[in-house]
Amino acid sequence: MTSGFEKINPYEINENAFKLIGMNWMLITAGNIDDYNMMTASWGNIGILWNKPVVSIFVRPQRYTFQFLEKNDFFTLNFLDPTHRGLLNVLGSVSGRDMDKMAVDELNACETENKMVCFKQARLVLECKKLYYTDIDPAYFLDKTIAGNYPNKDFHRMYFGEVINTLGRK
């Protein structure tokens, strides 16, 4: 077991997903303990699909984390306390190409028993196995104002991941 965490049944998470993702944000992390990257995200979903507990995340192809998601079958979602908001701002605005995110002093990476990267500062970690992806196609926007989120036409890739393990702070 990853030090400082305990396993939680994903059906027993008592968090408001709208607040957890949209207001508190998350760190999407992919790679292995020796070579990984993470990015802050505030777009995503938690729910049930294909009779499995799943998440969906949205990552633009130009993001450095995209390469890690493409090369790996697994990723984690790390939810930190609001006291880390400044750090989340930095990790969401500076690319791993320009900053060694693995060397950030405020985060201590650790490896889960499934060999995924999570952070000791997280209060909740979802370990996810990629199931499916699709690219956002603006031709299918029923609400045409959504296109305003893409002034550079850099549409997200949406990944669906099965939640295979849930870790919470002891």
Side-chain angles (χ1 to χ4, degrees):
M1 175 56 55
T2 304
S3 178
F5 290 100
E6 63 184 352
K7 286 188 179 187
I8 300 171
N9 181 330
Y11 293 92
E12 295 176 4
I13 295 172
N14 292 322
E15 301 273 356
N16 176 320
F18 292 98
K19 185 175 179 183
L20 194 64
I21 297 170
M23 295 174 69
N24 294 344
W25 305 343
M26 61 187 166
L27 280 178
I28 299 170
T29 306
N32 61 56
I33 198 69
D34 296 318
D35 186 29
Y36 64 88
N37 198 61
M38 78 290 251
M39 62 175 268
T40 303
S42 63
W43 289 10
N45 298 290
I46 297 173
I48 304 298
L49 184 64
W50 304 309
N51 301 311
K52 300 173 184 282
V54 300
V55 299
S56 62
I57 58 172
F58 301 79
V59 180
R60 289 183 159 126
Q62 70 266 30
R63 296 297 299 257
Y64 188 51
T65 303
F66 182 85
Q67 296 174 39
F68 289 84
L69 284 164
E70 288 294 296
K71 288 190 300 191
N72 293 277
D73 292 330
F74 299 91
F75 62 90
T76 60
L77 301 183
N78 295 264
F79 298 93
L80 285 67
D81 288 322
T83 57
H84 293 94
R85 182 58 140 213
L87 176 62
L88 291 171
N89 274 321
V90 170
L91 296 175
S93 61
V94 178
S95 173
R97 290 182 191 96
D98 303 324
M99 168 189 185
D100 182 2
K101 290 184 178 182
M102 295 191 323
V104 172
D105 289 338
E106 295 174 62
L107 284 178
N108 303 102
C110 54
E111 190 173 68
T112 70
E113 64 186 31
N114 294 311
K115 305 292 185 207
M116 291 183 232
V117 177
C118 70
F119 300 99
K120 293 178 182 177
Q121 290 77 7
R123 60 186 177 87
L124 177 66
V125 177
L126 304 180
E127 291 183 276
C128 306
K129 179 182 182 204
K130 288 190 313 189
L131 295 173
Y132 178 83
Y133 73 85
T134 190
D135 294 322
I136 300 293
D137 183 341
Y140 298 114
F141 289 156
L142 300 177
D143 177 345
K144 299 304 179 190
T145 65
I146 295 171
N149 290 286
Y150 300 98
N152 299 322
K153 306 216 180 307
D154 54 345
F155 302 102
H156 287 90
R157 174 162 286 178
M158 179 172 49
Y159 297 92
F160 289 92
E162 178 181 5
V163 178
I164 61 168
N165 200 21
T166 307
L167 304 171
R169 262 291 134 220
K170 286 184 183 177

